[in-house]
């Protein structure tokens, strides 16, 4: 590899390097200890250790070339090489292309400048074809070379970054280098002759966390396939951990979580992933989550500055964060003050004098924000003016603040007019006001104490609006939080939910969208709409709004519109309960956007088939219980109790367990604080019931205690009529159960657990996502093994190993495949056996690794025919059950079973004539040829194939699961009779010829090779004579005569002679009547030859075969 020319002081280097070649201008050196017998003794060991620890490949590579300046001790390193061949190539190039030119120059300085320029030019030329970008520092190029040299991974594997650290092997730290690439975490260390090489694929990581103990002050713990690995002594451990977290989650999404992956364009191309890109992505995710912004927003700039708070008359220090469409500010405290300014609301951006470095942003509603002490404020103002200019044409005004009238006509006005027209047309069917205002209008004449309290709450909010502004750009302060904790007034609930959830921004960015989706989704019929219809009247059935057609129709429209918008989620139980509450307080279109905010941003992955998001948050909840309520975890050792009891809390935001008048207060806090509010409340509830839970004898008793508690939660300030309140239905008679007010409970949860930070929750979610998905994967594996183990002779541990190899091969195919980055054949919604399926190319790779017949010359053809035989439904994919059945016969089958498998491989539908386009490759097939032959006589027109797959598949169109089809399929498998050998079709002459060739190929290299060849010659001769006798009875001529004569004449039948005769004149054979053999004939003939029986009944060391396949699986991909 050519290196950026750097000075080297040769005097100090002579102890470590030996001269190999030299001339007037260049020196080729070899590293001491390399290439010497015994590794160069103690000096070699020390040098090797030094190379492992030092951060420069120029010092590590065993060969290097220096450019020397005459009469000087200063040399320039210009090239290094991992082996003699590579460095010699560079040396020869220098002698042929540079040496002659250098004699032209007069001065040494000109020579040095010319050499440096030439080497830099070569590096730039290399960079065009290299994954290392040209703007990467030189050290990264060197690290990339070392990474490729140490681990031998395919060249497409993208190195993201590398760190110096220690790997703990027991209690001994080994200093070395940690390499983070797109698919692997790799570590290399060489200390005093002891080499440590570790490669862990990200998709195998089940735990990733920062830990500390007595020995390790701070380390990163990685758990993979039950093995624990600890890395420590990082210079920037937080940065390293963040990148590892990002890469692990990237792999999990790419390989396991298809739903999330499809929605994330960042994940499309693994070669575009960089360290900076991952860091920016992590910051953008945290930024969007904190400010409740659309997922598409990317954090572009962060400026430390002060914001003037007019209501407090002082400047607060914090960070101004700018994305494509928003300017946000959060004070350093986080809770003290935050502001969100959509660029669509901005009217002007101004700057003041240079002394204060101020930026003033004026927005609609006659409000202005003054940011002080902004670094590079002039450039920022220019950028924001450009952004606002673009934003004003992109958005129209659906502001929640006081609009500013304008007489000017603008293209955006037309958009607004169209939007309003669309809304008017839609208003015929869509409710334009919240159901609460229709069914419970506030009667001002009958003001009771509860109504007076409600009016006082409203007044408190109005005072806040006067101080902090109203609408999307209001100041959010500690006072705002305090008012939310007390409960939002009924009349303001819809508006403030929209504001705090960020749904107001989604609605503003998509005018008229809801009306269009409602229109498009009307009349659609699928599984989602059927489930929606079934659940409509189960949603708050005691509320009058959902006892009338008005409420039911609104609920139907919102849920159907969302299922149409997001078919991957469609409809999930619990969405109906949540949406019905949203419709009570928000207009119908607002309720739709609130549902979008909850399902797609605030509770990601909650509402899908596997409810991964809810499981992740339950794992986070368990972690918080361990931290904050240790006495409870000590008493209840089985933490699964908390998961089972709290699932409905998370899925319905406590709506399903608390009375409606109390649950809405929880929803208030959720929209303000996100999942943090639910976690805090969950902890407070367990803490409140701690004494009762500690005396419970079993789970049922604990569930009863919690349910009794929920029944006694009240909201004494709720203005809802008593007919609607659920808490009031509980008997008011004196009882031992104390009433708990929801406001007090929420306040207590804030006081006790308000210290939980958003950043910590985000990190815990990432960490537990790995654990949850790996647990689901383990469940899938155990279910598959349980089903498959009933039909094969392989032991469970052997099946386990085989499954790991099978799945890993599937993943390897997608590690470096840019044409199809999404894992096409993994669908977690399918039955366990169908979740992972491999195609013909992947099967061939596994066949080469695992099959005892893989040494055969025509192994590619055998792999192809085996695949076609297993692919019974002709979809060009096979599952693990089908795969393991073939491997099991090869390993554990009897003589008859193995022969029957070989026989079936040489008759349709498995058999097809195979010829490689490239004769130089022999029987080896290219990927294109393999895929072509695997689809031959199988593929059907797209529409016919699709229709048939829908017909045959239990997953009938549009996600509908046909239970009858599953039962029928299960019954067929249950009563599938043992295949009778008499049912097998006969083998014709061309197939028999190929069958004979395959047998010869299988015997090649066997210790009994010659006797096996003799045996097969005898068998072939016998079979042909039998056929000839049979023919004579029906016909005077026999097509087999010439062939059998040749066999008889050849006393020592060699493979070559028979093959040449078989292929000598196929046309003459075709002209005569075809001859064929039944399986019984072939079996009976082969059983007479002990050598053949011994060959097929030879025991195979399955464990060793699987172990070997596991270790060589990655290296075999590299060769391919």
């Amino acid at each position: 590899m050519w290196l950026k020319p750097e000075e080297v002081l040769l005097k100090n280097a002579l102890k470590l390097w030996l001269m190999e070649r030299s001339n007037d201008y260049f020196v080729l050196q070899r590293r001491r200890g390399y290439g010497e017998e015994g590794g160069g003794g103690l000096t070699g060991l020390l040098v090797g250790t030094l190379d492992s620890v030092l951060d420069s490949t120029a010092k590590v590579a065993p060969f290097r070339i220096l450019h020397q300046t005459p009469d000087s001790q200063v040399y320039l390193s210009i090239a290094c090489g991992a082996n003699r061949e590579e460095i010699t190539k560079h040396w020869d190039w220098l002698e042929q292309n540079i040496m002659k030119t250098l004699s032209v120059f007069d001065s040494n300085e000109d020579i040095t400048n010319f050499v440096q320029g030439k080497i830099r030019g070569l590096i730039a030329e290399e960079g065009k074809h290299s994954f290392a970008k040209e703007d990467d520092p030189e050290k990264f190029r060197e690290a990339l070379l070392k990474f490729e040299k140490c681990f031998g991974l395919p060249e497409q594997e993208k190195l993201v970054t590398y760190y110096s650290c220690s790997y703990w092997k027991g209690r001994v730290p080994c200093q070395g280098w940690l390499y983070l690439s797109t698919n692997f975490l790799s570590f290399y260390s060489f200390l005093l002759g002891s080499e440590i090489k570790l490669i862990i694929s990200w998709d195998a990581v089940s735990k990733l966390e920062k830990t500390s103990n007595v020995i390790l002050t701070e380390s990163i713990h990685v758990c993979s396939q039950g093995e624990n690995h600890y890395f420590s002594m990082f210079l920037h451990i937080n940065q390293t951990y963040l990148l590892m977290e990002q890469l692990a989650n990237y792999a999990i999404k790419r390989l396991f979580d298809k739903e999330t992956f499809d929605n994330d364009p960042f994940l499309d191309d693994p070669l575009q992933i960089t360290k900076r890109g991952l860091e920016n992505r992590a910051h953008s995710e945290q930024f969007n989550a904190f400010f409740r912004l659309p997922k598409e927003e990317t954090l572009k700039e962060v400026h430390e500055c002060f914001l003037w708070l007019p209501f407090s008359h002082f400047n607060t220090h914090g960070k101004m964060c700018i994305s494509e469409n928003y300017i946000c500010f959060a004070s350093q405290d986080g809770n003290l003050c935050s502001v969100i300014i959509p660029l669509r609301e901005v009217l002007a951006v101004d700057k003041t004098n240079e002394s204060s470095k101020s930026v003033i942003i004026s927005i609609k509603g006659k409000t202005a924000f003054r940011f002080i002490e902004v670094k590079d404020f002039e450039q920022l103002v220019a950028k924001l003016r450009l952004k606002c200019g673009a934003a004003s044409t992109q958005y129209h005004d659906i502001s929640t603040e006081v609009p500013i009238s304008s007489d000017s006509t603008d293209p955006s006005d037309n958009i607004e007019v169209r939007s309003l027209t669309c809304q008017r047309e839609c208003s015929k069917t869509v409710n334009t006001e919240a159901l609460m205002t229709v069914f419970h209008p506030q009667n001002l004449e009958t003001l009771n104490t509860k109504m007076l309290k409600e009016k006082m709450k409203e007044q408190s909010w109005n005072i806040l609006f006067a101080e902090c502004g109203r609408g999307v750009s209001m100041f959010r302060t500690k006072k705002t939080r305090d008012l939310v904790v007390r409960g939002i007034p009924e009349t303001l609930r819809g508006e403030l939910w929209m504001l705090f959830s960020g749904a107001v921004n989604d609605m503003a960015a998509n005018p008229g969208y809801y009306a269009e989706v409602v229109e498009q989704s009307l009349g659609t019929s699928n599984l989602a709409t059927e489930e929606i219809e079934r659940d409509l009247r189960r949603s708050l059935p005691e509320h009058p709004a959902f006892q009338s057609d008005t409420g039911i129709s609104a609920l139907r429209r919102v849920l159907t519109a969302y299922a149409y918008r997001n078919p991957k989620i469609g409809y999930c139980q619990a969405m109906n309960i949540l949406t019905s509450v949203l419709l009570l307080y928000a207009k119908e279109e607002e309720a739709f956007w609130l549902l979008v905010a909850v399902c797609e941003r605030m509770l990601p992955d909650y509402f899908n088939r596997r409810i991964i998001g809810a499981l992740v948050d339950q794992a986070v909840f368990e972690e918080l219980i361990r931290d904050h309520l240790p006495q409870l975890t000590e008493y209840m050792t089985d933490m699964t109790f908390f998961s089972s009891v709290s699932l409905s809390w998370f899925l319905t935001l406590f709506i399903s367990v608390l009375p409606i008048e109390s649950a809405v207060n929880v929803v208030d806090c959720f929209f303000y604080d996100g999942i943090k509010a639910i976690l805090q409340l969950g902890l407070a509830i367990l803490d409140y019931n701690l004494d009762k839970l500690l005396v419970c004898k079993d789970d049922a008793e604990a569930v009863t205690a919690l349910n009794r508690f929920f029944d006694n939660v009240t909201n004494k300030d709720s203005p809802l009529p008593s007919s609607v309140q659920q808490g009031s239905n509980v008997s008011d008679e004196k009882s031992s159960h104390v009433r708990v007010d929801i406001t007090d409970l929420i306040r207590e949860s804030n006081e006790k657990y308000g210290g939980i930070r958003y950043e910590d929750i985000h990190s815990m979610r990432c960490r537990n996502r790995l654990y949850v998905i790996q647990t689901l994967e383990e469940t899938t594996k155990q279910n598959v093994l349980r089903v498959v183990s009933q039909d094969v002779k392989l032991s469970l541990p052997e099946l386990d190993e085989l499954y790991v190899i099978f799945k890993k091969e599937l993943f390897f195919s997608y590690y470096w495949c840019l044409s199809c980055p999404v894992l096409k054949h993994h669908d977690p919604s399918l039955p366990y056996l169908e979740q992972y399926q491999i195609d013909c190319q992947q099967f061939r790779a596994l066949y080469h690794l695992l099959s005892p017949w893989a040494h055969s010359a025509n192994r590619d053809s055998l792999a192809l025919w085996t695949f076609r035989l297993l692919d019974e439904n002709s979809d060009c994919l096979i599952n693990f059950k089908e795969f393991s059945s073939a491997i099991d016969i090869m390993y554990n089958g009897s003589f008859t079973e193995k022969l029957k498998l070989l026989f079936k491989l040489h008759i349709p539908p498995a058999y097809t004539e195979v010829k490689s386009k490239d004769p130089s490759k022999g029987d080896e097939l290219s990927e294109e040829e393999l895929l072509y032959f695997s689809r031959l006589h199988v593929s059907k027109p797209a529409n016919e194939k699709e229709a048939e797959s829908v017909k045959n598949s239990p997953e009938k169109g549009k996600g509908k699961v046909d239970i009858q089809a599953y039962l029928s399929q299960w019954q067929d498998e249950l009563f599938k009779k043992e295949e009778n050998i008499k049912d097998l079709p006969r083998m014709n002459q061309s197939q028999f010829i190929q069958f004979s060739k395959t047998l010869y190929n299988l015997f090649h290299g066997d210790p009994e090779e010659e006797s096996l060849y003799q045996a097969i010659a005898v068998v072939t001769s016998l079979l042909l004579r039998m056929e000839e006798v049979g023919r004579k009875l029906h016909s005077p001529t026999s097509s087999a005569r010439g062939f059998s004569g040749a066999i008889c004449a050849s006393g020592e039948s060699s493979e070559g002679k028979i093959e040449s005769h078989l292929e000598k004149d196929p046309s003459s054979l075709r002209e005569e009547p075809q001859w064929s053999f039944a399986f019984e004939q072939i079996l009976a003939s082969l059983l007479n030859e002990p050598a053949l029986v011994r060959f097929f009944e030879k025991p195979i060391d399955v464990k060793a075969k699987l172990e070997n396949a596991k270790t060589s699986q990655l290296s075999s991909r590299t060769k391919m």
Side-chain angles (χ1 to χ4, degrees), residues 223-282:
C223 181
S224 169
Q225 295 175 340
E227 292 182 13
N228 293 305
H229 307 277
Y230 293 90
F231 302 91
S232 69
M233 298 186 194
F234 291 97
L235 194 60
H236 305 290
I237 192 164
N238 290 330
Q239 183 198 60
T240 310
Y241 179 74
L242 179 72
L243 282 169
M244 290 169 79
E245 191 177 70
Q246 288 283 102
L247 284 164
N249 273 289
Y250 159 76
I252 289 292
K253 282 182 181 177
R254 188 170 182 230
L255 299 173
F256 299 120
D257 198 358
K258 199 174 170 184
E259 290 164 328
T260 313
F261 182 89
D262 287 347
N263 298 328
D264 201 336
F266 177 82
L267 303 175
D268 281 351
D269 186 355
L271 297 183
Q272 299 307 314
I273 290 178
T274 60
K275 178 185 171 185
R276 190 180 302 159
L278 286 169
E279 287 172 343
N280 292 345
R281 177 185 168 82

Side-chain angles (χ1 to χ4, degrees), residues 879-928:
N879 61 33
F880 180 71
K881 186 178 182 182
E882 293 159 340
F883 170 76
S884 59
S885 66
I887 295 294
D888 184 57
I889 291 171
M890 292 179 204
Y891 284 167
N892 301 316
S894 63
F895 174 77
T896 307
E897 287 169 335
K898 287 179 182 176
L899 196 66
K900 186 165 75 175
L901 174 62
L902 278 170
F903 183 86
K904 286 164 78 175
L905 295 184
H906 292 81
I907 57 172
Y911 180 74
T912 182
E913 284 192 37
V914 175
K915 243 180 194 177
S916 177
K917 291 177 185 174
D918 187 356
S920 64
K921 289 187 175 180
D923 290 320
E924 195 178 321
L925 297 174
S926 68
E927 189 174 339
E928 293 76 23

Side-chain angles (χ1 to χ4, degrees), residues 5 28 48 131 156 209 254 283 452 485 546 689 801 898:
L28 191 156
F131 289 125
Q156 301 99 313
E209 60 183 353
R254 188 170 182 230
H283 294 143
L452 283 170
V485 167
F546 298 102
N689 292 279
E801 290 285 307
K898 287 179 182 176

Side-chain angles (χ1 to χ4, degrees), residues 481 485 666 669 673 676-685 687-688 742-756:
R481 177 189 297 279
V485 167
V666 178
C669 296
D673 268 333
K676 179 175 181 276
I678 304 300
L679 293 166
Q680 285 175 186
L681 185 60
L683 289 172
I685 288 166
D687 188 23
Y688 193 93
I742 187 66
T743 311
D744 297 334
L745 193 61
I746 291 172
R747 189 180 290 114
E748 190 178 320
S749 75
N750 265 285
E751 288 169 2
K752 281 192 174 181
Y753 308 109
I756 298 168

Side-chain angles (χ1 to χ4, degrees), residues 421-431 514-516 518:
T421 310
C422 187
Q423 285 173 3
R424 277 193 210 105
E425 288 173 4
C426 188
S427 66
K428 295 168 189 172
T429 53
V430 172
N431 290 348
Y514 176 65
E516 289 171 22
V518 166

